[in-house]
Each structure stands twice: as structure tokens, then as C-alpha cells.
Amino acid sequence: MNNNIDKIPRSFKADLTVVGGMGHVGLPISIAFANKELNVISYDKNIENIKYIKKGKMPFIEHNGEENLKKSIRKNKIRFTDSLTQNMKGSDFLITIGTPIDEFQNPSFIEIKNCIDEILPYVMKKNIIMLRSTIFPGTTEWIENYINKKKPGIKVIFCLERIVQGKAFEELYILPQIIASNSKEGARKAGKLFKKISPKIIYCNPKEAEFSKLFCNAFRYIEFAISNQFYIISSKENLNYSNIINLVKEGYPRAKNLPSPGFTAGPCLLKDTLQLVSHSQNQFILGSDAMLINEGLILEICKKLESKFNLKNLKVGLLGMAFKADIDDIRSSLSYKLKKLLKFKAKKVITSDPYVKSDKDLISLSSLLKEAQIIILCVPHKD
């Protein structure tokens, strides 16, 4: 449906169309390429975000985001739209839709297939289609075969995203970019494009890249699970885990990377770990155990509270509802899982977060401190 959010002039011909261009992955990379003198169309069906972005405002926390957004708008190199237009025809496409997991914890391909069907009339043989978000192993090849049954000759490349959320405009320009293609021509075209923003290009085949992304996120998820498991063990012994972790780390470099315990959540780590579990036919035991530990941390917190207090008579306050510190993204946040669980146990659950704007139930920090009788620091925002 065309809501005429941005009537793009006929004279504006896109070099690159970013699908999912108002999201955490799509918007920063759209801006980055526009600021490197490419004509970019950022396409997304999120109309509210488009209206916000057109005012020069970022719809989510991204360090130096508004500065870079305003620069791209001043350059007149970027357009935002909620509908496919003829201005996109003949451009390269970068798709930021991945493969989410379904209700059975298996990867779902329907969204990316629907996306391909939608954009295919606008893709020409000279163009490439780049996949940016995490995908299930074999997806790049599957999509290329699917496309070439309808339009032969189009190259599909996996250009995986590796940016820490909130630091896109720092890391896009310093991290090597992995380019994965089954054809030299596709790799060359994608490499030429990404050389505009990346200091180094690493080439490989698609399955290597697909696994590298999943392995990276699963490794991080397991790292956090180790620390959370150590915390649970220490807690059951009535020991202060902070003291123990300081003993482990102080002056001992081999333990310096052991993370602190805490809620391990967000839209990627659990999902990508479960994709590996699914791909390995449930034989990725470390991944399964990490999920049980990280998701089960809130159960341990509730047990600890119930052993010390009569929660039915107490108001519990949760500080921090984003999925990690110093951002405003609540996707898959364990704070909300804890809130839901405590609603059945406590007299009342009240919540506060200085960054989250999408939750009408949030109250100010000062109000929470006055009302709550138990306070749980869910997310260590600097505030």
C-alpha cells in the first residue's frame, strides 16, 4: 500500500535499495552508504518510523545516529518510502530480513521468501541481491536457486552484519566485511560496494559465512551462560559472586574475558543459538544447556526472593526493561519475562527505564524508588 510517505522524484535513481531500511540493521547502513555518495532508497513498511526519520530523528538509540542521518538528508542522497517504486528498478538490493525461529524453535523462511517475491520485478540481471541479517545455513544457495528459476543470472550474496547495536557508525567503518558468494562476479560486485565503507573485505563461500555468524553469536551466548551458571552455584552457597569473579580476574589475564552475570537476551543470541540446535538435529548440547541457564536465570531470582520474602504482600520494582544496557530496544528482553512471572507472585510489579519509550506502563525512577519495597536491577544502564 502506498501511503505517499515520500514521493520520490523520477530523477532520483537508486544505486542501492535497502529492504527493512528503518530497522536497527537497515537504517544505519542506508545512512552510511548515502554518506559515501550512493543514491539510497530505504524501504520499510514501518510508517511511523519513516515520519520520525524524515524529521532528522533516529527512532532508536544509535550513537552519532542523528548526526549521520541529518548529513545524509542534507546531501540529498537518501529517500525513505513505505512502498516499492520504479526508482528502485535496476538498483542493487540489500535485504535486512533474516530467518526468525517459529513456535517450534525451527527457522522460518516464509518472511524472506515473501520479500524476494515482492522485490523481484524490480531486480534486473545486472543487479545483485545481498542478504544482511542472520540466516539459516544453506539459505543463500536456496534463495539464489529460487530466484534463478524465475529470473536467471541474478547473483545472491551473503554480506553478514557484525555490528554491536548502538555502535553502527563506529564499527561499520572499522570492522572487516565478510562477502560470501558462489560466483566470482557476485563477490566482486558486493566487494566493490562494501569497499566504500569497510577497511577490509574477506571473501568466502556462503555456508562458511552463514556458520561463522551463528557460531559467533552462539559462542557469546554460551560465554554468558557460563557466568550465569557460576552465579547460580555461588548464590546457592550464599556466596557473593562479585567477590569471587574479582578473585578470578585480578592480575590474571587468562580470565579477563569472563563476563559478568546478568540477563542475556535480545533478538539475536538466543535465536541464532537455537538455529544451530535445529541444524544439528538437537545435538548441539552446549547451545541447549546455555538456553536453559540464561532463560532460567529469572526462575532462580524468583526462587531466591520467595525464600526470603512473602511476595504477596510486597511491591517489586524492576529497573531497566531494555534487553541490554544503554539502549532502548526491548525485543526478547528477559525483564519482561521476569515481570510476567512476578505478576503471579508479588502484590504489584512496577517498572522503570530511562530509555524505553514504547511501554506505557513505565514510571519514573524516583516514583519507583518511593513505591517499591524490593528493587531488582535488571539492566545496568549508566543512569
PDB file of all heavy atoms in Angstrom, residues 78-107:
ATOM      1  N   ILE A  78      19.541  10.243   0.033  1.00  0.00           N
ATOM      2  CA  ILE A  78      18.744   9.169   0.609  1.00  0.00           C
ATOM      3  C   ILE A  78      17.262   9.505   0.530  1.00  0.00           C
ATOM      4  O   ILE A  78      16.865  10.680   0.641  1.00  0.00           O
ATOM      5  CB  ILE A  78      19.172   8.900   2.080  1.00  0.00           C
ATOM      6  CG1 ILE A  78      18.616   7.572   2.597  1.00  0.00           C
ATOM      7  CG2 ILE A  78      18.811  10.067   3.001  1.00  0.00           C
ATOM      8  CD1 ILE A  78      19.261   7.087   3.887  1.00  0.00           C
ATOM      9  N   ARG A  79      16.450   8.486   0.314  1.00  0.00           N
ATOM     10  CA  ARG A  79      14.997   8.625   0.311  1.00  0.00           C
ATOM     11  C   ARG A  79      14.393   7.507   1.155  1.00  0.00           C
ATOM     12  O   ARG A  79      14.918   6.397   1.196  1.00  0.00           O
ATOM     13  CB  ARG A  79      14.439   8.522  -1.123  1.00  0.00           C
ATOM     14  CG  ARG A  79      14.848   9.666  -2.041  1.00  0.00           C
ATOM     15  CD  ARG A  79      14.185  10.972  -1.637  1.00  0.00           C
ATOM     16  NE  ARG A  79      14.385  12.034  -2.601  1.00  0.00           N
ATOM     17  CZ  ARG A  79      15.462  12.815  -2.677  1.00  0.00           C
ATOM     18  NH1 ARG A  79      16.447  12.618  -1.811  1.00  0.00           N
ATOM     19  NH2 ARG A  79      15.560  13.753  -3.593  1.00  0.00           N
ATOM     20  N   PHE A  80      13.282   7.827   1.803  1.00  0.00           N
ATOM     21  CA  PHE A  80      12.598   6.869   2.668  1.00  0.00           C
ATOM     22  C   PHE A  80      11.196   6.634   2.132  1.00  0.00           C
ATOM     23  O   PHE A  80      10.468   7.583   1.824  1.00  0.00           O
ATOM     24  CB  PHE A  80      12.528   7.405   4.104  1.00  0.00           C
ATOM     25  CG  PHE A  80      13.865   7.820   4.649  1.00  0.00           C
ATOM     26  CD1 PHE A  80      14.233   9.160   4.697  1.00  0.00           C
ATOM     27  CD2 PHE A  80      14.762   6.870   5.090  1.00  0.00           C
ATOM     28  CE1 PHE A  80      15.470   9.541   5.183  1.00  0.00           C
ATOM     29  CE2 PHE A  80      16.003   7.239   5.588  1.00  0.00           C
ATOM     30  CZ  PHE A  80      16.359   8.583   5.636  1.00  0.00           C
ATOM     31  N   THR A  81      10.804   5.376   2.026  1.00  0.00           N
ATOM     32  CA  THR A  81       9.490   5.074   1.463  1.00  0.00           C
ATOM     33  C   THR A  81       8.920   3.792   2.060  1.00  0.00           C
ATOM     34  O   THR A  81       9.666   2.920   2.517  1.00  0.00           O
ATOM     35  CB  THR A  81       9.565   4.946  -0.071  1.00  0.00           C
ATOM     36  OG1 THR A  81       8.260   4.742  -0.602  1.00  0.00           O
ATOM     37  CG2 THR A  81      10.459   3.802  -0.483  1.00  0.00           C
ATOM     38  N   ASP A  82       7.589   3.710   2.042  1.00  0.00           N
ATOM     39  CA  ASP A  82       6.910   2.506   2.533  1.00  0.00           C
ATOM     40  C   ASP A  82       6.370   1.667   1.387  1.00  0.00           C
ATOM     41  O   ASP A  82       5.597   0.741   1.605  1.00  0.00           O
ATOM     42  CB  ASP A  82       5.769   2.898   3.476  1.00  0.00           C
ATOM     43  CG  ASP A  82       4.642   3.617   2.764  1.00  0.00           C
ATOM     44  OD1 ASP A  82       4.949   4.413   1.855  1.00  0.00           O
ATOM     45  OD2 ASP A  82       3.470   3.398   3.095  1.00  0.00           O
ATOM     46  N   SER A  83       6.771   1.989   0.158  1.00  0.00           N
ATOM     47  CA  SER A  83       6.265   1.231  -0.991  1.00  0.00           C
ATOM     48  C   SER A  83       7.357   1.066  -2.036  1.00  0.00           C
ATOM     49  O   SER A  83       8.281   1.872  -2.139  1.00  0.00           O
ATOM     50  CB  SER A  83       5.055   1.950  -1.619  1.00  0.00           C
ATOM     51  OG  SER A  83       5.421   3.245  -2.043  1.00  0.00           O
ATOM     52  N   LEU A  84       7.255   0.007  -2.809  1.00  0.00           N
ATOM     53  CA  LEU A  84       8.181  -0.213  -3.907  1.00  0.00           C
ATOM     54  C   LEU A  84       7.885   0.774  -5.022  1.00  0.00           C
ATOM     55  O   LEU A  84       6.719   1.037  -5.335  1.00  0.00           O
ATOM     56  CB  LEU A  84       8.045  -1.648  -4.416  1.00  0.00           C
ATOM     57  CG  LEU A  84       8.504  -2.734  -3.424  1.00  0.00           C
ATOM     58  CD1 LEU A  84       7.966  -4.091  -3.839  1.00  0.00           C
ATOM     59  CD2 LEU A  84      10.008  -2.770  -3.320  1.00  0.00           C
ATOM     60  N   THR A  85       8.933   1.337  -5.610  1.00  0.00           N
ATOM     61  CA  THR A  85       8.761   2.343  -6.656  1.00  0.00           C
ATOM     62  C   THR A  85       9.671   2.030  -7.846  1.00  0.00           C
ATOM     63  O   THR A  85      10.646   1.281  -7.719  1.00  0.00           O
ATOM     64  CB  THR A  85       9.113   3.752  -6.139  1.00  0.00           C
ATOM     65  OG1 THR A  85      10.541   3.868  -6.024  1.00  0.00           O
ATOM     66  CG2 THR A  85       8.477   4.025  -4.783  1.00  0.00           C
ATOM     67  N   GLN A  86       9.353   2.638  -8.972  1.00  0.00           N
ATOM     68  CA  GLN A  86      10.160   2.450 -10.171  1.00  0.00           C
ATOM     69  C   GLN A  86      11.572   3.004 -10.003  1.00  0.00           C
ATOM     70  O   GLN A  86      12.486   2.627 -10.742  1.00  0.00           O
ATOM     71  CB  GLN A  86       9.472   3.115 -11.377  1.00  0.00           C
ATOM     72  CG  GLN A  86       8.216   2.398 -11.840  1.00  0.00           C
ATOM     73  CD  GLN A  86       8.486   0.969 -12.278  1.00  0.00           C
ATOM     74  OE1 GLN A  86       9.412   0.693 -13.036  1.00  0.00           O
ATOM     75  NE2 GLN A  86       7.673   0.033 -11.784  1.00  0.00           N
ATOM     76  N   ASN A  87      11.761   3.902  -9.033  1.00  0.00           N
ATOM     77  CA  ASN A  87      13.093   4.463  -8.773  1.00  0.00           C
ATOM     78  C   ASN A  87      14.082   3.379  -8.359  1.00  0.00           C
ATOM     79  O   ASN A  87      15.294   3.550  -8.473  1.00  0.00           O
ATOM     80  CB  ASN A  87      13.037   5.519  -7.672  1.00  0.00           C
ATOM     81  CG  ASN A  87      11.992   6.575  -7.909  1.00  0.00           C
ATOM     82  OD1 ASN A  87      10.802   6.312  -7.766  1.00  0.00           O
ATOM     83  ND2 ASN A  87      12.417   7.774  -8.284  1.00  0.00           N
ATOM     84  N   MET A  88      13.567   2.255  -7.854  1.00  0.00           N
ATOM     85  CA  MET A  88      14.424   1.158  -7.386  1.00  0.00           C
ATOM     86  C   MET A  88      14.880   0.263  -8.528  1.00  0.00           C
ATOM     87  O   MET A  88      15.852  -0.475  -8.383  1.00  0.00           O
ATOM     88  CB  MET A  88      13.654   0.294  -6.377  1.00  0.00           C
ATOM     89  CG  MET A  88      13.155   1.021  -5.165  1.00  0.00           C
ATOM     90  SD  MET A  88      12.049  -0.062  -4.213  1.00  0.00           S
ATOM     91  CE  MET A  88      11.604   1.014  -2.848  1.00  0.00           C
ATOM     92  N   LYS A  89      14.177   0.309  -9.628  1.00  0.00           N
ATOM     93  CA  LYS A  89      14.433  -0.641 -10.717  1.00  0.00           C
ATOM     94  C   LYS A  89      15.856  -0.476 -11.239  1.00  0.00           C
ATOM     95  O   LYS A  89      16.283   0.622 -11.586  1.00  0.00           O
ATOM     96  CB  LYS A  89      13.428  -0.441 -11.848  1.00  0.00           C
ATOM     97  CG  LYS A  89      13.314  -1.658 -12.757  1.00  0.00           C
ATOM     98  CD  LYS A  89      12.010  -1.649 -13.531  1.00  0.00           C
ATOM     99  CE  LYS A  89      11.818  -2.982 -14.247  1.00  0.00           C
ATOM    100  NZ  LYS A  89      10.540  -3.025 -14.970  1.00  0.00           N
ATOM    101  N   GLY A  90      16.576  -1.575 -11.282  1.00  0.00           N
ATOM    102  CA  GLY A  90      17.949  -1.522 -11.759  1.00  0.00           C
ATOM    103  C   GLY A  90      18.970  -1.262 -10.676  1.00  0.00           C
ATOM    104  O   GLY A  90      20.172  -1.192 -10.960  1.00  0.00           O
ATOM    105  N   SER A  91      18.519  -1.117  -9.419  1.00  0.00           N
ATOM    106  CA  SER A  91      19.469  -0.923  -8.315  1.00  0.00           C
ATOM    107  C   SER A  91      19.851  -2.276  -7.729  1.00  0.00           C
ATOM    108  O   SER A  91      19.185  -3.291  -7.960  1.00  0.00           O
ATOM    109  CB  SER A  91      18.856  -0.039  -7.226  1.00  0.00           C
ATOM    110  OG  SER A  91      17.859  -0.744  -6.499  1.00  0.00           O
ATOM    111  N   ASP A  92      20.934  -2.285  -6.973  1.00  0.00           N
ATOM    112  CA  ASP A  92      21.244  -3.460  -6.167  1.00  0.00           C
ATOM    113  C   ASP A  92      20.336  -3.442  -4.940  1.00  0.00           C
ATOM    114  O   ASP A  92      19.881  -2.384  -4.500  1.00  0.00           O
ATOM    115  CB  ASP A  92      22.709  -3.448  -5.732  1.00  0.00           C
ATOM    116  CG  ASP A  92      23.668  -3.614  -6.904  1.00  0.00           C
ATOM    117  OD1 ASP A  92      23.337  -4.388  -7.830  1.00  0.00           O
ATOM    118  OD2 ASP A  92      24.730  -2.964  -6.899  1.00  0.00           O
ATOM    119  N   PHE A  93      20.059  -4.617  -4.383  1.00  0.00           N
ATOM    120  CA  PHE A  93      19.177  -4.725  -3.219  1.00  0.00           C
ATOM    121  C   PHE A  93      19.935  -5.333  -2.042  1.00  0.00           C
ATOM    122  O   PHE A  93      20.665  -6.322  -2.200  1.00  0.00           O
ATOM    123  CB  PHE A  93      17.956  -5.588  -3.546  1.00  0.00           C
ATOM    124  CG  PHE A  93      16.888  -4.869  -4.308  1.00  0.00           C
ATOM    125  CD1 PHE A  93      17.034  -4.618  -5.670  1.00  0.00           C
ATOM    126  CD2 PHE A  93      15.740  -4.417  -3.670  1.00  0.00           C
ATOM    127  CE1 PHE A  93      16.048  -3.933  -6.382  1.00  0.00           C
ATOM    128  CE2 PHE A  93      14.749  -3.740  -4.367  1.00  0.00           C
ATOM    129  CZ  PHE A  93      14.903  -3.496  -5.725  1.00  0.00           C
ATOM    130  N   LEU A  94      19.754  -4.739  -0.882  1.00  0.00           N
ATOM    131  CA  LEU A  94      20.311  -5.268   0.353  1.00  0.00           C
ATOM    132  C   LEU A  94      19.145  -5.564   1.290  1.00  0.00           C
ATOM    133  O   LEU A  94      18.384  -4.656   1.647  1.00  0.00           O
ATOM    134  CB  LEU A  94      21.285  -4.270   0.980  1.00  0.00           C
ATOM    135  CG  LEU A  94      22.115  -4.793   2.156  1.00  0.00           C
ATOM    136  CD1 LEU A  94      23.482  -4.120   2.178  1.00  0.00           C
ATOM    137  CD2 LEU A  94      21.426  -4.562   3.495  1.00  0.00           C
ATOM    138  N   ILE A  95      18.988  -6.819   1.658  1.00  0.00           N
ATOM    139  CA  ILE A  95      17.832  -7.252   2.445  1.00  0.00           C
ATOM    140  C   ILE A  95      18.252  -7.484   3.893  1.00  0.00           C
ATOM    141  O   ILE A  95      19.191  -8.241   4.164  1.00  0.00           O
ATOM    142  CB  ILE A  95      17.231  -8.544   1.856  1.00  0.00           C
ATOM    143  CG1 ILE A  95      16.736  -8.295   0.429  1.00  0.00           C
ATOM    144  CG2 ILE A  95      16.096  -9.065   2.728  1.00  0.00           C
ATOM    145  CD1 ILE A  95      16.287  -9.546  -0.292  1.00  0.00           C
ATOM    146  N   THR A  96      17.566  -6.824   4.810  1.00  0.00           N
ATOM    147  CA  THR A  96      17.922  -6.954   6.229  1.00  0.00           C
ATOM    148  C   THR A  96      16.932  -7.830   6.989  1.00  0.00           C
ATOM    149  O   THR A  96      16.846  -7.766   8.206  1.00  0.00           O
ATOM    150  CB  THR A  96      18.000  -5.570   6.898  1.00  0.00           C
ATOM    151  OG1 THR A  96      16.699  -4.971   6.914  1.00  0.00           O
ATOM    152  CG2 THR A  96      18.963  -4.662   6.166  1.00  0.00           C
ATOM    153  N   ILE A  97      16.190  -8.655   6.248  1.00  0.00           N
ATOM    154  CA  ILE A  97      15.271  -9.610   6.878  1.00  0.00           C
ATOM    155  C   ILE A  97      15.993 -10.944   6.997  1.00  0.00           C
ATOM    156  O   ILE A  97      16.551 -11.448   6.029  1.00  0.00           O
ATOM    157  CB  ILE A  97      14.000  -9.775   6.020  1.00  0.00           C
ATOM    158  CG1 ILE A  97      13.239  -8.450   5.952  1.00  0.00           C
ATOM    159  CG2 ILE A  97      13.113 -10.876   6.570  1.00  0.00           C
ATOM    160  CD1 ILE A  97      12.115  -8.431   4.941  1.00  0.00           C
ATOM    161  N   GLY A  98      15.991 -11.514   8.190  1.00  0.00           N
ATOM    162  CA  GLY A  98      16.680 -12.776   8.408  1.00  0.00           C
ATOM    163  C   GLY A  98      15.724 -13.945   8.435  1.00  0.00           C
ATOM    164  O   GLY A  98      14.626 -13.904   7.872  1.00  0.00           O
ATOM    165  N   THR A  99      16.144 -15.022   9.087  1.00  0.00           N
ATOM    166  CA  THR A  99      15.281 -16.195   9.263  1.00  0.00           C
ATOM    167  C   THR A  99      14.970 -16.329  10.753  1.00  0.00           C
ATOM    168  O   THR A  99      15.801 -16.850  11.499  1.00  0.00           O
ATOM    169  CB  THR A  99      15.958 -17.482   8.729  1.00  0.00           C
ATOM    170  OG1 THR A  99      17.324 -17.517   9.168  1.00  0.00           O
ATOM    171  CG2 THR A  99      15.928 -17.514   7.227  1.00  0.00           C
ATOM    172  N   PRO A 100      13.816 -15.844  11.179  1.00  0.00           N
ATOM    173  CA  PRO A 100      13.438 -15.986  12.586  1.00  0.00           C
ATOM    174  C   PRO A 100      13.104 -17.439  12.913  1.00  0.00           C
ATOM    175  O   PRO A 100      13.018 -18.282  12.018  1.00  0.00           O
ATOM    176  CB  PRO A 100      12.194 -15.099  12.695  1.00  0.00           C
ATOM    177  CG  PRO A 100      11.610 -15.096  11.317  1.00  0.00           C
ATOM    178  CD  PRO A 100      12.774 -15.197  10.376  1.00  0.00           C
ATOM    179  N   ILE A 101      12.932 -17.727  14.206  1.00  0.00           N
ATOM    180  CA  ILE A 101      12.513 -19.072  14.593  1.00  0.00           C
ATOM    181  C   ILE A 101      11.004 -19.090  14.813  1.00  0.00           C
ATOM    182  O   ILE A 101      10.413 -18.099  15.247  1.00  0.00           O
ATOM    183  CB  ILE A 101      13.256 -19.558  15.850  1.00  0.00           C
ATOM    184  CG1 ILE A 101      13.163 -18.525  16.981  1.00  0.00           C
ATOM    185  CG2 ILE A 101      14.698 -19.893  15.527  1.00  0.00           C
ATOM    186  CD1 ILE A 101      13.767 -18.978  18.287  1.00  0.00           C
ATOM    187  N   ASP A 102      10.382 -20.232  14.497  1.00  0.00           N
ATOM    188  CA  ASP A 102       8.928 -20.344  14.644  1.00  0.00           C
ATOM    189  C   ASP A 102       8.571 -20.873  16.032  1.00  0.00           C
ATOM    190  O   ASP A 102       9.430 -20.993  16.914  1.00  0.00           O
ATOM    191  CB  ASP A 102       8.352 -21.235  13.531  1.00  0.00           C
ATOM    192  CG  ASP A 102       8.892 -22.666  13.582  1.00  0.00           C
ATOM    193  OD1 ASP A 102       9.416 -23.082  14.640  1.00  0.00           O
ATOM    194  OD2 ASP A 102       8.771 -23.380  12.569  1.00  0.00           O
ATOM    195  N   GLU A 103       7.303 -21.211  16.214  1.00  0.00           N
ATOM    196  CA  GLU A 103       6.831 -21.649  17.530  1.00  0.00           C
ATOM    197  C   GLU A 103       7.416 -22.994  17.948  1.00  0.00           C
ATOM    198  O   GLU A 103       7.340 -23.381  19.123  1.00  0.00           O
ATOM    199  CB  GLU A 103       5.300 -21.721  17.550  1.00  0.00           C
ATOM    200  CG  GLU A 103       4.674 -22.791  16.685  1.00  0.00           C
ATOM    201  CD  GLU A 103       4.432 -22.361  15.246  1.00  0.00           C
ATOM    202  OE1 GLU A 103       5.142 -21.434  14.773  1.00  0.00           O
ATOM    203  OE2 GLU A 103       3.551 -22.938  14.586  1.00  0.00           O
ATOM    204  N   PHE A 104       8.037 -23.699  17.007  1.00  0.00           N
ATOM    205  CA  PHE A 104       8.675 -24.979  17.322  1.00  0.00           C
ATOM    206  C   PHE A 104      10.190 -24.842  17.437  1.00  0.00           C
ATOM    207  O   PHE A 104      10.912 -25.830  17.425  1.00  0.00           O
ATOM    208  CB  PHE A 104       8.317 -26.018  16.259  1.00  0.00           C
ATOM    209  CG  PHE A 104       6.830 -26.201  16.072  1.00  0.00           C
ATOM    210  CD1 PHE A 104       6.200 -25.749  14.923  1.00  0.00           C
ATOM    211  CD2 PHE A 104       6.067 -26.799  17.060  1.00  0.00           C
ATOM    212  CE1 PHE A 104       4.828 -25.899  14.746  1.00  0.00           C
ATOM    213  CE2 PHE A 104       4.700 -26.955  16.896  1.00  0.00           C
ATOM    214  CZ  PHE A 104       4.079 -26.503  15.742  1.00  0.00           C
ATOM    215  N   GLN A 105      10.683 -23.568  17.517  1.00  0.00           N
ATOM    216  CA  GLN A 105      12.112 -23.272  17.630  1.00  0.00           C
ATOM    217  C   GLN A 105      12.894 -23.688  16.389  1.00  0.00           C
ATOM    218  O   GLN A 105      14.097 -23.972  16.467  1.00  0.00           O
ATOM    219  CB  GLN A 105      12.713 -23.931  18.891  1.00  0.00           C
ATOM    220  CG  GLN A 105      11.964 -23.681  20.179  1.00  0.00           C
ATOM    221  CD  GLN A 105      11.788 -22.200  20.488  1.00  0.00           C
ATOM    222  OE1 GLN A 105      12.685 -21.403  20.243  1.00  0.00           O
ATOM    223  NE2 GLN A 105      10.644 -21.818  21.030  1.00  0.00           N
ATOM    224  N   ASN A 106      12.216 -23.741  15.247  1.00  0.00           N
ATOM    225  CA  ASN A 106      12.875 -24.029  13.975  1.00  0.00           C
ATOM    226  C   ASN A 106      12.882 -22.772  13.108  1.00  0.00           C
ATOM    227  O   ASN A 106      12.015 -21.902  13.268  1.00  0.00           O
ATOM    228  CB  ASN A 106      12.149 -25.154  13.231  1.00  0.00           C
ATOM    229  CG  ASN A 106      12.313 -26.489  13.927  1.00  0.00           C
ATOM    230  OD1 ASN A 106      13.401 -26.834  14.371  1.00  0.00           O
ATOM    231  ND2 ASN A 106      11.228 -27.255  14.031  1.00  0.00           N
ATOM    232  N   PRO A 107      13.844 -22.646  12.178  1.00  0.00           N
ATOM    233  CA  PRO A 107      13.903 -21.443  11.342  1.00  0.00           C
ATOM    234  C   PRO A 107      12.688 -21.325  10.426  1.00  0.00           C
ATOM    235  O   PRO A 107      12.185 -22.325   9.908  1.00  0.00           O
ATOM    236  CB  PRO A 107      15.194 -21.636  10.540  1.00  0.00           C
ATOM    237  CG  PRO A 107      15.440 -23.096  10.549  1.00  0.00           C
ATOM    238  CD  PRO A 107      14.920 -23.597  11.857  1.00  0.00           C
TER     239      PRO A 107
END
